[in-house]
Amino acid sequence: MDTKALAALLFPNVTKTPEDMEALFPARTLPEGAVVSRMAPSPTGFVHLGNLVQGLTSERMCHQSGGTLFLRVEDTDAKREVPGAVEVLIESLKHYSILFDEGATVDGDNGIYGPYRQRQRAAIYHVYAKQLVEQGMAYPCFCTEEELADIHARQEAEKANYGYFGKWAVWRDRPMADIEQALAKGMPWVLRFRSTGSLENKIRFTDLIKGNLELTENDIDHVLLKSDGIPTYHFAHAVDDHLMHTTHVVRGDEWLPTLPFHLQLFRALGFKPPKYLHIGPLMKMDGDSKRKLSKRKDPELALTYYREAGFPVASVYEYLMTVLNSNFEEWRRQNPDAPIDSFKFSYKKMNPAGSLFDAAKLRDVSKNVISRMSTDRIYEETVAWAKDYDTALYEHLTADEPYAKAILAIGRGGKKPRKDFAVLGDVRPYLDFFYDDWFTVTDSYPDQFEKADIKAALEGFLKTFDERDDMNVWFDKIKRVAEGLGFASDMKAYKENPDAYRGNVADVSMFLRVAVTGRQNSPDMYAAMQVLGRERVLARIEKMIDSLK
């Protein structure tokens, strides 16, 4: 067959050549060893943790090497596209600090290698499609959906492999006359790749995460262009990664079965393939076994879950770093206050089999991250979250910013900061007693103590309370109250002979704590009283005394 004539017949309006395309997308000027990678999600409306894992891996590799990270929207599957999904995707990734140097944005494209939306690049793909036809590496297929379904049914009956190949590839070697006749009738067609592979052959490939792999060759004549002229992902990504000078592709290992076909495509197009990093899935324990995180079963797969729960971006980011690099936790112990970007990320430390998602560990990591935040930072994070998810908290915090910050400053800073919050949703129950309209006494006094003793302790404290006292003076006064009621002020003495006392100074402190905060466990009592102020402290203690009559 005259393949040049066939190419002209199929693509009469394509006048540009691959050389023209190469001139439009010149080589990047970057330092030696710089990584150029991309995120290339489909706009399906669901942004998940796997997207973030891949994005974080690509981002670290690019920006640590002085390279470029770009966002390309792979919107070739119009049936799956959700309106507004591109904007959701871009904003979600931006929220989690995956910042792109170029690519698709909410307002259009940023960069000279665009368009960055594949449906807008159809004319580019047609240039290379025509080239493949000219070289005898692609051909038109006019099979209807019914005919393809019939082929599938016959393959099933014969227990043959599924797909369009060998004797099943009925348009692979049809004469030009048949093609011309089909075109004259206006029959829709797709462009298929003419595979030269065989299931008898293996290819050897080195993945940067998985290591050395041996995969079966592709023998399927996959579709390159659909009947509307829009390419499949397989064809589009090969052309785009070449023209955009992608050096490394990070993607989930569910793409490994397609790798032989992708390598065939790069070879047929005359392109050098990028280096691939196939990431194992995120898994979780389900009983005694592991399974992949599921969109249907596991809400924690969706990025919206973390925003709603109130995990700060820094917490999610830091947790994922512990998942991705086995040496991160040791580095963090040695560098507790260092910015996370100073950690030297390495794909060589990634687990080839995938990683276990541990919700409890995420909360522990988040507690550590939040505890290291400054008062201003935790205030800003909480207000931003509460504005969307807890209106009442937002109104309380913003009504008196200095007061709110004074609350959040308690126990913050120093070598051993308090770790009260795992998520921003923990803030309200932590500080609600500081606000009179939220204050309630939720904990009762233990039955072992007489009401008269509790009342006497509270009255004794009121007589000596001076908000100007420093912490030592304040606590000495509590000790004297305790001693006057027969409670031990010395914990060592109490432990040696508990029967000699009615209780100890910690018990007296607890009497005060319940009266002032409404609970037996609360932030530092001295600091809490300082923030609450004299009037609130006195009013609450007096109200408790009245309730004990």
Side-chain angles (χ1 to χ4, degrees):
M1 179 184 288
D2 185 345
T3 53
K4 289 188 179 296
L6 176 60
L9 187 65
L10 296 176
F11 301 99
N13 298 320
V14 175
T15 57
K16 292 186 177 180
T17 66
E19 289 73 25
D20 294 327
M21 295 299 102
E22 299 287 340
L24 289 174
F25 301 97
R28 296 175 181 272
T29 305
L30 293 170
E32 184 177 353
V35 172
V36 178
S37 190
R38 41 69 164 183
M39 280 197 71
S42 300
T44 60
F46 182 70
V47 188
H48 56 81
L49 198 59
N51 294 135
L52 192 55
V53 167
Q54 293 170 34
L56 178 56
T57 303
S58 296
E59 187 274 332
R60 288 290 77 205
M61 290 174 60
C62 291
H63 292 155
Q64 285 185 169
S65 65
T68 298
L69 177 68
F70 64 91
L71 176 65
R72 186 173 71 223
V73 179
E74 304 204 330
D75 56 357
T76 60
D77 190 349
K79 293 179 181 178
R80 296 179 64 220
E81 183 169 349
V82 175
V86 173
E87 290 73 20
V88 171
L89 171 75
I90 292 171
E91 289 302 323
S92 295
L93 295 173
K94 181 180 178 181
H95 177 75
Y96 283 99
S97 301
I98 306 299
L99 304 178
F100 298 94
D101 302 296
E102 64 184 59
T105 73
V106 172
D107 301 318
D109 285 347
N110 171 41
I112 66 170
Y113 293 90
Y116 293 92
R117 291 167 172 81
Q118 289 184 327
R119 292 185 70 86
Q120 297 176 13
R121 297 172 64 86
I124 297 172
Y125 307 127
H126 287 192
V127 171
Y128 289 96
K130 183 176 182 179
Q131 177 194 34
L132 290 177
V133 175
E134 287 178 344
Q135 295 173 345
M137 295 179 180
Y139 64 92
C141 170
F142 295 86
C143 282
T144 64
E145 291 292 330
E146 292 75 18
E147 289 170 330
L148 292 173
D150 179 64
I151 289 172
H152 186 87
R154 287 188 285 129
Q155 288 173 334
E156 187 173 32
E158 295 183 20
K159 293 183 170 52
N161 290 331
Y162 297 130
Y164 197 87
F165 67 99
K167 69 176 184 177
W168 312 103
V170 295
W171 280 92
R172 180 180 172 110
D173 295 313
R174 295 286 274 271
M176 179 71 87
D178 288 358
I179 295 173
E180 290 173 333
Q181 186 179 19
L183 289 172
K185 290 180 180 179
M187 293 174 62
W189 56 276
V190 300
L191 189 71
R192 289 187 179 273
F193 181 69
R194 186 185 296 273
S195 176
T196 58
S198 168
L199 296 184
E200 302 298 319
N201 299 330
K202 300 288 185 181
I203 64 168
R204 289 178 174 81
F205 176 80
T206 300
D207 182 270
L208 294 186
I209 294 177
K210 301 286 187 184
N212 296 326
L213 303 173
E214 187 173 87
L215 305 169
T216 302
E217 269 190 348
N218 168 64
D219 68 337
I220 304 295
D221 288 1
H222 288 289
V223 174
L224 301 179
L225 293 180
K226 293 174 281 191
S227 58
D228 60 359
I230 297 299
T232 58
Y233 161 80
H234 308 289
F235 184 42
H237 105 281
V239 172
D240 291 342
D241 280 338
H242 171 72
L243 292 179
M244 295 178 180
H245 303 281
T246 305
T247 63
H248 294 69
V249 170
V250 180
R251 60 188 186 183
D253 63 4
E254 68 271 16
W255 287 104
L256 271 175
T258 65
L259 183 60
F261 173 45
H262 294 164
L263 295 177
Q264 275 185 331
L265 266 178
F266 276 96
R267 186 167 59 249
L269 290 162
F271 300 158
K272 178 184 177 182
K275 295 177 180 178
Y276 283 95
L277 300 89
H278 288 89
I279 297 179
L282 286 171
M283 297 171 287
K284 71 180 297 185
M285 295 303 299
D286 193 349
D288 295 329
S289 60
K290 295 179 183 178
R291 64 167 174 80
K292 291 172 64 173
L293 283 177
S294 162
K295 178 180 178 180
R296 181 172 58 86
K297 296 180 180 179
D298 305 310
E300 63 267 37
L301 184 60
L303 287 190
T304 51
Y305 166 84
Y306 301 94
R307 295 184 75 167
E308 291 169 5
F311 284 101
V313 169
S315 296
V316 177
Y317 196 100
E318 183 133 342
Y319 171 70
L320 288 181
M321 199 62 78
T322 70
V323 170
L324 292 175
N325 266 200
S326 56
N327 61 326
F328 176 77
E329 290 181 85
E330 180 182 353
W331 175 86
R332 175 53 81 197
R333 284 192 293 270
Q334 296 173 353
N335 304 275
D337 300 318
I340 194 169
D341 285 353
S342 63
F343 171 69
K344 185 65 176 177
F345 175 86
S346 173
Y347 63 80
K348 295 178 181 179
K349 296 290 185 179
M350 296 176 73
N351 187 341
S355 302
L356 186 66
F357 177 85
D358 186 337
K361 185 172 182 179
L362 167 61
R363 291 183 64 85
D364 286 342
V365 168
S366 189
K367 282 184 178 181
N368 289 330
V369 170
I370 293 175
S371 73
R372 295 196 298 267
M373 290 181 178
S374 67
T375 299
D376 287 346
R377 172 80 180 277
I378 189 61
Y379 175 80
E380 291 166 4
E381 293 267 1
T382 306
V383 165
W385 174 82
K387 187 174 184 180
D388 293 329
Y389 300 106
D390 189 338
T391 304
L393 177 61
Y394 174 78
E395 291 173 350
H396 279 66
L397 294 180
T398 55
D400 187 342
E401 182 177 327
Y403 182 66
K405 286 184 175 180
I407 298 169
L408 292 169
I410 295 174
R412 193 161 294 281
K415 293 183 178 180
K416 292 185 178 181
R418 288 181 62 93
K419 298 179 181 180
D420 297 289
F421 316 138
V423 293
L424 299 174
D426 294 338
V427 172
R428 180 169 171 174
Y430 165 83
L431 55 65
D432 57 2
F433 74 86
F434 283 97
Y435 294 91
D436 293 333
D437 58 332
W438 280 347
F439 173 68
T440 57
V441 178
T442 56
D443 291 351
S444 57
Y445 290 117
D447 294 336
Q448 70 199 66
F449 298 106
E450 298 290 337
K451 283 186 178 181
D453 286 339
I454 299 171
K455 180 182 175 184
L458 296 178
E459 289 174 337
F461 179 79
L462 282 183
K463 292 176 182 178
T464 63
F465 177 61
D466 186 339
E467 73 278 9
R468 294 167 296 184
D469 291 340
D470 65 23
M471 184 183 293
N472 292 327
V473 173
W474 171 84
F475 191 57
D476 283 342
K477 288 181 177 181
I478 295 176
K479 285 182 177 180
R480 285 198 291 273
V481 170
E483 290 171 350
L485 295 172
F487 285 69
S489 61
D490 185 333
M491 291 302 295
K492 183 178 179 181
Y494 177 76
K495 289 178 181 179
E496 290 176 352
N497 189 14
D499 293 337
Y501 303 96
R502 304 174 73 86
N504 59 65
V505 68
D507 297 322
V508 173
S509 296
M510 181 267 292
F511 300 160
L512 286 169
R513 190 181 301 275
V514 172
V516 174
T517 71
R519 56 186 80 161
Q520 291 190 26
N521 294 302
S522 71
D524 179 78
M525 265 295 295
Y526 174 78
M529 286 185 177
Q530 290 293 307
V531 172
L532 284 165
R534 178 180 179 81
E535 290 184 8
R536 279 196 183 95
V537 171
L538 295 179
R540 291 183 183 183
I541 293 176
E542 288 168 353
K543 186 174 182 180
M544 180 61 76
I545 290 172
D546 289 341
S547 73
L548 294 170
K549 291 178 180 178

